[in-house]
């Protein structure tokens, strides 16, 4: 009997559904960063607002990369609806702690897609995921560095102003 | 797998899975499946079969069973952009779900056999 399913679609139904969940996660990240940009802007942290606007764009880009991958492989990508976003934050620092949490959870969920790929011997999707692993290295590095600024500069006096000034300068330039 | 002859002897159907309430057969030549269920035989291509799976799997059977008995025990399974639809009772939905679950398991098994045996051998 012919394997019609395989001829129509490279990825399995399970991988397709995991990537669709990832699409939702990336869309959620993008929306969260936008909410963070809004809070920073309203509270006078212009550089941080710009930083989060840029992060939001990047997450949208990740979302589309996953979205197009499913379509290219012959599957069905689903445009997610995002609800229940946090709009207010208790402190400037809380934003960066939430941002790191978000990135850690994104790394974790990409890892579980990879685990499934190993199980199915889906080396094609695994190779596709490599780009995201490298990206997550950078995202987590930047989020961690931002929190470290709070330790190094301190939050007293003009601390927040100083931290905001340095947020835009965080860069990850590993050759590896 | 059992080979069934259809009215048109050119078209060979292979049974994928069957239960006492219905059966699903694959046609290699037309790249499609024939589902014999609820008194009719319908032809499904790849896209429609996946849509049917989604439609049936998404039905909350528990909710149907707990539903107020005063309303009619009837559910319409409709597939967008195709002429397929089923008007089914809760028991028939359970039977159709069972049929589809078996079918997709057999298709998955067929995929594994193709991958591990034939594609490696040739
Ligand atoms: Fe991302």
């Amino acid at each position: 009997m012919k394997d019609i399913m395989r001829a129509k679609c490279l990825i399995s139904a399970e991988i397709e559904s995991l990537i669709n969940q990832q699409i939702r996660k990336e869309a959620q990240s993008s929306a969260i960063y936008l909410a963070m940009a809004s809070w920073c802007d309203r509270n006078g942290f212009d550089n941080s607002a710009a930083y989060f606007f840029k992060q939001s764009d990047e997450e949208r880009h990740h979302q589309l990369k996953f979205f197009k991958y499913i379509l290219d492989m012959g599957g069905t990508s689903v445009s997610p609806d995002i609800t229940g976003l946090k709009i207010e934050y208790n402190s400037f620092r809380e934003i960066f702690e939430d941002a790191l949490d978000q990135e850690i959870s994104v790394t974790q969920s990409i890892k579980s897609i990879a685990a499934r790929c190993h199980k199915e011997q889906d080396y094609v999707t695994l190779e596709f995921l490599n780009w995201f692993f490298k990206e997550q290295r950078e995202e987590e590095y930047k989020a961690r560095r931002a929190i470290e600024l709070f330790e190094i500069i301190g939050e007293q006096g003009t601390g927040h102003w100083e931290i905001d000034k340095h947020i835009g300068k965080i860069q990850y330039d590993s050759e590896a | 797998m059992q080979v069934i002859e259809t009215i048109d002897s050119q078209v060979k159907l292979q049974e994928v899975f069957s239960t006492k309430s219905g059966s699903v057969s694959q046609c290699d030549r037309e790249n499609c499946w024939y589902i014999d269920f609820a008194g009719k035989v319908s032809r499904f291509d790849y896209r429609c079969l996946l849509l049917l799976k989604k439609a049936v799997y998404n039905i909350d059977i528990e909710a149907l069973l707990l539903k107020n008995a005063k309303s009619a025990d009837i559910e319409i399974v409709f597939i967008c952009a195709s002429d397929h639809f089923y008007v089914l009772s809760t028991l028939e939905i359970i039977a159709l779900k069972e049929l589809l679950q078996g079918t997709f398991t057999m298709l998955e098994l067929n995929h594994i056999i193709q991958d591990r045996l034939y594609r490696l051998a040739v």
Side-chain angles (χ1 to χ4, degrees):
Chain A
M1 193 167 75
K2 227 157 101 176
D3 188 1
I4 300 174
M5 290 287 169
R6 178 60 185 85
K8 294 283 181 185
C9 185
L10 188 149
I11 51 176
S12 72
E14 285 74 21
I15 295 286
E16 181 190 287
S17 136
L18 284 176
I19 299 180
N20 268 320
Q21 285 170 35
Q22 189 63 34
I23 287 171
R24 173 182 299 277
K25 236 179 155 63
E26 300 290 347
Q28 205 174 13
S29 291
S30 179
I32 288 173
Y33 284 139
L34 212 50
M36 289 172 171
S38 163
W39 191 93
C40 289
D41 187 275
R42 277 180 283 138
N43 287 278
F45 301 116
D46 283 349
N47 293 314
S48 302
Y51 172 81
F52 285 120
F53 271 119
K54 201 171 145 259
Q55 288 299 110
S56 176
D57 274 351
E58 276 186 27
E59 296 310 326
R60 166 82 181 166
H61 173 69
H62 298 165
Q63 183 200 344
L64 290 182
K65 242 179 140 80
F66 280 116
F67 201 87
K68 286 173 184 155
Y69 177 74
I70 295 186
L71 291 177
D72 287 350
M73 295 309 109
T76 303
S77 25
V78 182
S79 184
D81 51 341
I82 304 302
T83 50
L85 285 175
K86 190 163 159 182
I87 297 167
E88 293 303 332
Y89 291 86
N90 293 313
S91 66
F92 189 31
R93 187 185 177 126
E94 187 184 83
I95 289 211
F96 291 95
E97 278 165 356
D98 276 17
L100 177 60
D101 270 353
Q102 181 64 22
E103 288 305 336
I104 290 174
S105 105
V106 166
T107 308
Q108 194 51 37
S109 72
I110 301 175
K111 272 157 103 177
S112 57
I113 304 175
R116 177 75 207 186
C117 289
H118 274 293
K119 204 175 158 207
E120 287 184 21
Q121 304 193 336
D122 180 353
Y123 301 114
V124 180
T125 302
L126 211 51
E127 193 271 337
F128 164 74
L129 290 180
N130 280 337
W131 184 89
F132 288 93
F133 281 125
K134 211 165 173 187
E135 190 70 11
Q136 279 318 108
R137 232 160 64 182
E138 178 178 338
E139 298 300 333
E140 280 202 28
Y141 173 91
K142 289 198 302 196
R144 230 174 260 120
R145 269 276 179 267
I147 294 172
E148 280 164 13
L149 288 178
F150 285 81
E151 310 288 339
I152 297 162
I153 299 171
E155 298 189 53
Q156 286 79 36
T158 54
H160 281 176
W161 178 80
E162 197 73 42
I163 292 165
D164 184 55
K165 218 167 87 176
H166 281 86
I167 292 292
K169 294 179 191 153
I170 299 172
Q171 245 176 15
Y172 180 70
D173 37 54
S174 161
E175 293 295 314
Chain B
M1 273 169 208
Q2 187 194 348
V3 177
I4 323 163
E5 294 283 337
T6 53
I7 309 148
D8 175 5
S9 59
Q10 292 296 103
V11 180
K12 282 227 166 52
L13 291 182
Q14 276 182 288
E15 186 178 284
V16 182
F17 189 71
S18 71
T19 62
K20 62 179 191 309
S21 43
S23 72
V24 177
S25 305
Q26 178 172 314
C27 175
D28 279 0
R29 221 181 58 168
E30 295 176 344
N31 282 323
C32 72
W33 294 270
Y34 287 89
I35 299 183
D36 183 355
F37 189 80
K40 63 173 178 178
V41 180
S42 309
R43 181 183 183 276
F44 287 80
D45 63 11
Y46 167 75
R47 196 186 61 86
C48 286
L49 188 70
L50 289 183
L51 288 174
L52 176 70
K53 177 191 182 190
K54 204 174 163 197
V56 172
Y57 283 29
N58 280 344
I59 296 173
D60 187 347
I61 291 171
E62 201 186 329
L64 288 181
L65 291 171
L66 295 172
K67 205 166 68 176
N68 191 336
K70 276 175 203 155
S71 54
D73 175 33
I74 274 207
E75 196 74 12
I76 298 171
V77 179
F78 175 76
I79 295 162
C80 273
S82 80
D83 32 311
H84 295 301
F85 73 94
Y86 286 101
V87 179
L88 303 172
S89 70
T90 305
L91 283 180
E92 283 174 315
I93 287 169
I94 295 170
L96 181 56
K97 191 172 177 180
E98 187 193 359
L99 181 64
L100 289 176
Q101 280 170 336
T103 299
F104 280 96
T105 304
M106 292 312 284
L107 290 177
E108 179 71 31
L109 181 62
N110 183 49
H111 167 65
I112 292 170
I113 294 167
Q114 296 277 334
D115 248 11
R116 306 282 152 89
L117 291 176
Y118 302 123
R119 288 191 180 114
L120 282 182
V122 286

